[in-house]
Amino acid sequence: MRYEDFVDTAYQPGKDELICDFYVESTMPIKKAAGGIAAESSIGTWTELTTVKDYMRKLAATVFYIKKSGEGYRVKISYPPELFEAGSMPNILSSIAGNIFGLKELVNLRLNDIHFPRKLARSFPGPKYGIPGVRRILGVRKRPLIGTIVKPKLGLRTKDHAEVAYKAWVGGCDIVKDDENLGSQKFNPFRKRFLETIKKRDKAESETGERKMYMVNVTCETEEMKRRAKFVADNGGEYVMVDILTVGWAALQTLRDLDLGLVLHAHRAGHAALTKNPKHGISMKVIARVTRLIGLDQLHVGTVVGKMFEGKKDVLENCAALKEDFYGIKKVFPVASGGLHPLSVPELVKIFGTDVIIQSGGGIHGHPMGTVAGAKAMRQALDAVLSGMSLKEYAKTHEELRVAIERFGR
Amino acid sequence: MRYEDFVDTAYQPGKDELICDFYVESTMPIKKAAGGIAAESSIGTWTELTTVKDYMRKLAATVFYIKKSGEGYRVKISYPPELFEAGSMPNILSSIAGNIFGLKELVNLRLNDIHFPRKLARSFPGPKYGIPGVRRILGVRKRPLIGTIVKPKLGLRTKDHAEVAYKAWVGGCDIVKDDENLGSQKFNPFRKRFLETIKKRDKAESETGERKMYMVNVTCETEEMKRRAKFVADNGGEYVMVDILTVGWAALQTLRDLDLGLVLHAHRAGHAALTKNPKHGISMKVIARVTRLIGLDQLHVGTVVGKMFEGKKDVLENCAALKEDFYGIKKVFPVASGGLHPLSVPELVKIFGTDVIIQSGGGIHGHPMGTVAGAKAMRQALDAVLSGMSLKEYAKTHEELRVAIERFGR
């Protein structure tokens, strides 16, 4: 079969087929280029083979849609589900998001979306908790959750790390997390950090009467990651966080399969090497769908108003991938994180609604009165928004918010 | 500390520091942008913090080089080794190749190279076999190794898969591998495939008197990947292959740590989503260095003359990363694969030298006389080159090569 033989724009994909939505720019005619993508991800290659068997022809992927889009084309391809190993995300991605990016004639190629058919989707567990489960554990019914990242991201010694976490909790944070590159460095080793910080969590819980969560970072090689996650589960933790891109899909499935009863928080460090260029790579929406199938409970999706690059349209699409109906698979809590502070809160609630975890690092620990006041200011900003008041009005009777507005209102 | 405080172009990095070489395009002044990259990967963030401790200042990363390059800048940053968890590739990459890609003001950012200091590099095992080990196992001292991929890449039933492999071996291939997206699909399940194919390997070995290798694809979730690799080791296999990008760095370290005595072959499906754009993402050279540290024995690095996009300069840089002196860490066998056929061989040997594995899929199974003849033609092409003859001359007495030249000589 030649590349062009994989194109049939009259084809109607079956309900059980996986569909990919690509943006393609090529030096080849588009029919050949699009057919090449379908071929290289199913039963074809660059040349005619003597080893093709008749029984396999039904496994060919089919280009069923080609339309001019900007400088290139939008191309949709349908893949018979038999092409994939059910329940194996590395296998699926090696097929539909593998070699094709490297083909010489494809100047730009971006995988913008994947439609997973029911049976293939349900071969993955999905989140254990998702939005309702996380809300149940925290005892917070409706409002957005407020989180912080211990800052500076690296360098604090364990005692100081735990102290910063404690202050954030007593100030009003629901969740405190490690930053993405805190593993088990000598200045703050994993086990000691977890134990000292969780002690402070208990203290903060008893002092505030609120549930408080610590998301410790278990990002590392798989066996050690498993040991660390078990250590957390065995010592009173309810959460772990993991860097999904640098750990990778195989280890992520392993962590979910461990099923330790922990809530799994997905940090996406490094995603933008793949997702940022609108013409090449893989969209964050795809990464969101993949993360939901594998079964993490929370995922960073951009901020719109913060230091991350994504605009509102992108962020809303990422959220939809986490929250839309998906064969009964639980909804993932979207996380807004990166450059946020109390003044961001009204806009964030407008964009995300209330099912969002708002994380503020510098916006809390950069408060001139310190971390406790910074966390208070975040909660005050949220209280203002939820009670329909302007921050300015609310700040008249709330000192921490007033100071935050001065500090972050440029 | 503000972003600019992380810049000191008079700074001379210490011998024990990790150094990254970036290409940067930013809407911010370059000093601020470059400082931001150093800040976000060490102890800074977008705003001043109240939680900074004096003892951590020595952990700051430092921008020590900024130079105009094209539409942007070349920026070099030095990182104190204490920032990283030794032996944890996910941790290191979350730091130096993580959040920074997502920063709004960085229009394009590419990590072009990493210099690993000795101590951090030696916290990883490196390859168990590398080039000399692989040559010892195969009993091939000097010449390039010839490999093939069973094609069509998906769809062959187990019996036919094993038969194609057998024909390739008896024709002259040293190595036969699965394609990157063959996992354990129903039409060709893993264990059955391995056992039937390895039987054919034994037959081919006894018929040819040459060592023959089967690289079965173990790409999947970590626990199952471990089970599959053990199954291979327990049943007479000497090799496994794995898709390094879709499996991910954590699982890759786990596979190496298992230390089953298997040669590990790294397929790079999906790399070009990261590596293809010369202005954004991560270079293949970086992926090559990372793969060598983690300890795989063979890695695809591009073809120059085949269907993959990389030019000669890129491919030679990738090879250098695999083969240059690196604190005594073993050399990785470079693999050229993708769109190759007998006519590619002279140029490949010119580019790569003899320490290369030349893999030809379509170029063997697309031979008009079939797979045995296709493999013979590849070996004949190699024999011609090594004996200093032109393919045309050699083809006068070698029918399979003559037909291949007709078929692939367009």
Side-chain angles (χ1 to χ4, degrees):
Chain A
M1 291 173 83
R2 294 161 314 138
Y3 281 172
E4 293 88 340
D5 298 334
F6 289 83
V7 180
D8 176 6
T9 50
Y11 181 77
Q12 298 220 332
K15 264 188 75 172
D16 60 340
E17 299 197 323
L18 182 146
I19 293 168
C20 287
D21 193 342
F22 290 104
Y23 172 79
V24 184
E25 277 177 35
S26 177
T27 55
M28 289 193 285
I30 185 61
K31 207 175 154 188
K32 190 169 177 191
I37 299 167
E40 293 282 345
S41 296
S42 58
I43 62 169
T45 189
W46 59 275
T47 190
E48 300 270 353
L49 300 167
T50 60
T51 45
V52 175
K53 304 283 176 187
D54 273 340
Y55 62 71
M56 66 174 50
R57 291 189 192 274
K58 64 178 191 301
L59 292 180
T62 306
V63 178
F64 65 95
Y65 180 98
I66 299 178
K67 200 176 171 186
K68 189 81 189 139
S69 168
E71 293 165 69
Y73 291 86
R74 184 174 179 186
V75 168
K76 295 191 202 178
I77 301 179
S78 175
Y79 305 76
E82 295 81 7
L83 286 173
F84 309 111
E85 179 180 346
S88 175
M89 196 55 78
N91 172 262
I92 295 172
L93 293 177
S94 285
S95 253
I96 60 177
N99 276 1
I100 52 174
F101 290 106
L103 294 175
K104 194 190 286 180
E105 292 85 357
L106 300 182
V107 179
N108 278 303
L109 176 66
R110 184 169 160 101
L111 176 55
N112 276 318
D113 205 358
I114 305 176
H115 163 76
F116 288 93
R118 172 186 288 268
K119 202 170 159 195
L120 197 59
R122 294 303 297 258
S123 71
F124 294 91
K128 185 180 184 78
Y129 297 104
I131 296 177
V134 167
R135 287 201 175 281
R136 201 167 53 241
I137 290 171
L138 268 156
V140 176
R141 293 258 178 90
K142 279 189 172 164
R143 66 167 169 84
L145 305 178
I146 298 292
T148 194
I149 309 101
V150 175
K151 298 274 181 185
K153 59 198 309 158
L154 294 178
L156 281 171
R157 293 177 186 156
T158 304
K159 194 171 152 281
D160 293 323
H161 175 101
E163 189 61 25
V164 171
Y166 169 73
K167 286 179 175 169
W169 279 314
V170 295
C173 285
D174 303 299
I175 297 176
V176 172
K177 72 179 269 298
D178 293 347
D179 224 328
E180 76 284 350
N181 49 5
L182 188 57
S184 192
Q185 284 93 327
K186 288 208 177 124
F187 57 78
N188 194 4
F190 182 85
R191 282 168 177 75
K192 192 175 161 209
R193 173 169 86 248
F194 177 74
L195 292 176
E196 294 207 13
T197 308
I198 214 77
K199 243 190 275 175
K200 295 290 190 177
R201 179 205 62 179
D202 294 344
K203 189 159 179 262
E205 282 195 341
S206 73
E207 285 174 18
T208 61
E210 292 182 343
R211 294 302 320 274
K212 301 293 182 186
M213 300 293 146
Y214 175 41
M215 309 199 306
V216 67
N217 187 350
V218 296
T219 299
C220 62
E221 176 275 328
T222 327
E223 300 296 344
E224 178 61 16
M225 180 183 72
K226 285 159 55 185
R227 283 190 288 272
R228 289 182 190 175
K230 279 180 192 153
F231 184 83
V232 170
D234 291 345
N235 289 280
E238 288 163 297
Y239 260 95
V240 292
M241 64 163 285
V242 62
D243 299 344
I244 59 175
L245 276 307
T246 57
V247 150
W249 307 120
L252 223 52
Q253 287 200 255
T254 309
L255 182 62
R256 175 64 183 91
D257 290 350
L258 257 188
D259 205 16
L260 293 168
L262 298 167
V263 183
L264 305 179
H265 175 94
H267 192 287
R268 56 180 188 154
H271 78 95
L274 285 169
T275 65
K276 198 177 205 174
N277 182 337
K279 297 167 86 180
H280 188 74
I282 300 175
S283 74
M284 185 61 210
K285 197 201 306 185
V286 164
I287 291 173
R289 291 198 199 287
V290 164
T291 304
R292 184 174 180 186
L293 283 179
I294 291 179
L296 285 90
D297 300 287
Q298 305 179 170
L299 173 66
H300 293 222
V301 291
T303 56
V304 187
V305 296
K307 71 180 174 185
M308 297 306 168
F309 72 98
E310 292 134 310
K312 190 169 170 180
K313 183 172 170 288
D314 287 332
V315 170
L316 289 179
E317 283 188 12
N318 299 343
C319 287
L322 298 184
K323 302 204 289 186
E324 70 193 12
D325 285 345
F326 193 31
Y327 312 122
I329 295 167
K330 291 203 180 83
K331 297 175 184 190
V332 178
F333 230 128
V335 178
S337 186
L340 303 179
H341 49 70
L343 279 107
S344 320
V345 175
E347 190 63 19
L348 287 170
V349 173
K350 220 178 274 170
I351 295 163
F352 286 88
T354 51
D355 274 341
V356 61
I357 300 173
I358 300 174
Q359 291 183 172
S360 166
I364 282 179
H365 313 297
H367 193 289
M369 295 156 67
T371 296
V372 176
K376 279 189 182 170
M378 279 298 288
R379 281 291 288 269
Q380 289 165 1
L382 184 59
D383 289 345
V385 170
L386 296 179
S387 64
M389 284 172 76
S390 75
L391 297 193
K392 213 172 155 188
E393 187 63 24
Y394 203 78
K396 286 181 183 162
T397 52
H398 293 86
E399 176 68 2
E400 293 84 1
L401 182 57
R402 191 189 61 72
V403 173
I405 291 173
E406 253 173 43
R407 166 73 171 79
F408 297 109
R410 79 213 64 180
Chain B
M1 290 172 85
R2 295 160 313 136
Y3 280 171
E4 293 88 341
D5 298 335
F6 290 83
V7 180
D8 177 5
T9 49
Y11 182 78
Q12 299 221 331
K15 263 188 77 173
D16 60 340
E17 299 198 322
L18 182 146
I19 293 167
C20 286
D21 193 342
F22 290 104
Y23 171 79
V24 184
E25 278 176 35
S26 176
T27 57
M28 291 193 285
I30 186 61
K31 206 174 155 188
K32 191 170 177 190
I37 299 167
E40 293 283 344
S41 296
S42 59
I43 62 169
T45 189
W46 57 275
T47 190
E48 300 270 352
L49 300 167
T50 60
T51 45
V52 175
K53 304 283 176 186
D54 272 339
Y55 63 70
M56 65 174 52
R57 292 190 193 274
K58 65 179 190 300
L59 292 179
T62 306
V63 177
F64 66 93
Y65 180 98
I66 299 179
K67 200 176 171 186
K68 189 80 187 140
S69 167
E71 294 165 68
Y73 292 86
R74 183 174 179 186
V75 168
K76 296 192 202 177
I77 300 179
S78 174
Y79 305 77
E82 295 81 7
L83 286 173
F84 309 111
E85 179 180 347
S88 174
M89 196 54 79
N91 172 262
I92 294 172
L93 294 177
S94 286
S95 253
I96 60 178
N99 277 0
I100 52 173
F101 289 106
L103 294 174
K104 194 189 288 180
E105 292 84 357
L106 300 183
V107 180
N108 278 303
L109 176 66
R110 185 170 160 100
L111 176 54
N112 275 318
D113 206 358
I114 304 175
H115 162 77
F116 288 94
R118 171 185 289 268
K119 202 171 161 195
L120 197 60
R122 294 302 298 256
S123 71
F124 295 91
K128 185 180 183 77
Y129 297 104
I131 296 177
V134 167
R135 287 201 175 281
R136 201 167 50 241
I137 290 171
L138 268 155
V140 177
R141 291 260 176 92
K142 279 190 171 163
R143 67 166 169 85
L145 305 178
I146 298 293
T148 194
I149 310 101
V150 175
K151 298 272 180 185
K153 58 198 309 159
L154 294 178
L156 283 172
R157 291 176 187 157
T158 304
K159 196 172 150 281
D160 293 325
H161 175 101
E163 188 62 24
V164 170
Y166 170 73
K167 286 179 174 167
W169 279 316
V170 295
C173 286
D174 303 299
I175 297 177
V176 172
K177 71 179 269 297
D178 292 347
D179 224 329
E180 75 284 351
N181 49 4
L182 188 58
S184 191
Q185 284 92 330
K186 287 206 178 126
F187 57 78
N188 194 5
F190 181 85
R191 283 169 178 74
K192 193 175 160 209
R193 174 170 84 248
F194 177 74
L195 292 175
E196 294 207 12
T197 308
I198 214 77
K199 242 189 276 176
K200 295 289 190 178
R201 179 205 62 179
D202 293 345
K203 190 159 178 263
E205 283 196 340
S206 73
E207 285 174 18
T208 61
E210 291 182 344
R211 292 305 318 274
K212 302 293 182 185
M213 299 293 146
Y214 175 41
M215 310 199 306
V216 67
N217 187 349
V218 297
T219 299
C220 62
E221 175 276 327
T222 327
E223 300 297 343
E224 178 60 17
M225 179 183 73
K226 285 160 54 186
R227 282 189 289 272
R228 290 181 190 176
K230 279 181 191 152
F231 184 83
V232 170
D234 291 346
N235 289 280
E238 287 164 298
Y239 259 95
V240 292
M241 62 164 284
V242 62
D243 299 343
I244 59 176
L245 277 308
T246 59
V247 150
W249 307 120
L252 223 53
Q253 286 200 255
T254 310
L255 182 63
R256 175 64 183 91
D257 290 350
L258 258 188
D259 205 16
L260 292 167
L262 298 167
V263 183
L264 305 179
H265 175 95
H267 192 288
R268 56 180 188 155
H271 79 94
L274 285 170
T275 64
K276 199 178 205 174
N277 182 337
K279 296 167 85 178
H280 188 73
I282 299 174
S283 73
M284 184 62 209
K285 196 199 310 185
V286 164
I287 291 173
R289 291 198 197 288
V290 165
T291 304
R292 183 173 180 185
L293 284 179
I294 291 178
L296 284 90
D297 299 288
Q298 305 180 172
L299 173 65
H300 293 223
V301 292
T303 56
V304 188
V305 296
K307 70 181 174 185
M308 298 306 169
F309 71 99
E310 294 134 311
K312 189 168 170 181
K313 182 171 171 287
D314 286 333
V315 171
L316 288 179
E317 283 188 12
N318 299 343
C319 287
L322 299 185
K323 302 204 289 186
E324 71 194 13
D325 284 345
F326 193 31
Y327 311 124
I329 295 167
K330 291 202 181 83
K331 296 175 185 189
V332 177
F333 229 129
V335 178
S337 186
L340 303 178
H341 50 72
L343 280 106
S344 320
V345 175
E347 189 65 18
L348 288 169
V349 173
K350 220 178 275 172
I351 296 163
F352 286 89
T354 51
D355 274 340
V356 60
I357 300 173
I358 300 174
Q359 292 183 172
S360 167
I364 283 180
H365 312 298
H367 192 289
M369 295 156 68
T371 296
V372 176
K376 278 189 181 169
M378 280 298 288
R379 281 291 288 268
Q380 289 165 2
L382 184 59
D383 290 345
V385 170
L386 297 180
S387 65
M389 284 171 77
S390 74
L391 297 193
K392 214 172 154 189
E393 188 62 24
Y394 204 76
K396 286 183 185 161
T397 52
H398 293 86
E399 176 68 2
E400 293 84 1
L401 181 57
R402 192 189 60 73
V403 173
I405 290 173
E406 253 173 43
R407 166 74 172 78
F408 297 110
R410 78 211 62 179

